[in-house]
Amino acid sequence: MATEPPVYDLVLLLDTQADEERRTEILENVQAAIGQSGEVVGRHDWGVRPTVYEIHKRPDADYHLFQFHGGNDLLEQLDHTLKITDGVLRFRIIKLRAGTPPPPDLGTAAAATAAAGEPDES
């Protein structure tokens, strides 16, 4: 019986002071790297959100979540590449346990509704 390959979460916090083109390029490079050695299961762009504490004197970050399947070589490649990439404030790769619920919908529309204090109609 074949076992399901593990799913990994990559949470990526990008510098909001970096150009939009640079942030888009970083996201495209991450997606391409995962696509070459693994498989993207889901991608969630959570938009600009305040951080709990400042990172490199930045009070906010552009949050993104990639969910993917991949091997150790892909994990090492992502770790190395993201450590040296300008425009990345923080990142974390986590192996999900089986049965982990899906990530919350924190997209820009849901975040704007929550910030305005209006009830979500979804």
Side-chain angles (χ1 to χ4, degrees), residues 9-89:
D9 271 1
L10 167 60
V11 179
L12 193 57
L13 279 65
L14 301 179
D15 188 354
T16 56
Q17 293 183 2
D19 292 337
E20 184 66 32
E21 296 89 27
R22 177 68 184 142
R23 288 186 278 169
T24 302
E25 178 184 2
I26 293 169
L27 295 173
E28 289 172 355
N29 290 342
V30 168
Q31 180 122 7
I34 294 171
Q36 287 177 352
S37 309
E39 173 189 8
V40 175
V41 176
R43 179 174 169 180
H44 306 274
D45 297 328
W46 289 336
V48 176
R49 306 175 66 75
T51 56
V52 175
Y53 57 90
E54 289 186 357
I55 303 171
H56 301 293
K57 299 185 181 186
R58 306 288 197 272
D60 56 8
D62 189 6
Y63 284 70
H64 300 273
L65 170 68
F66 288 89
Q67 292 185 311
F68 64 95
H69 298 292
N72 285 338
D73 56 336
L74 174 59
L75 299 177
E76 290 172 3
Q77 176 191 358
L78 287 171
D79 183 65
H80 174 73
T81 303
L82 293 173
K83 280 181 183 176
I84 62 173
T85 302
D86 290 334
V88 175
L89 293 178

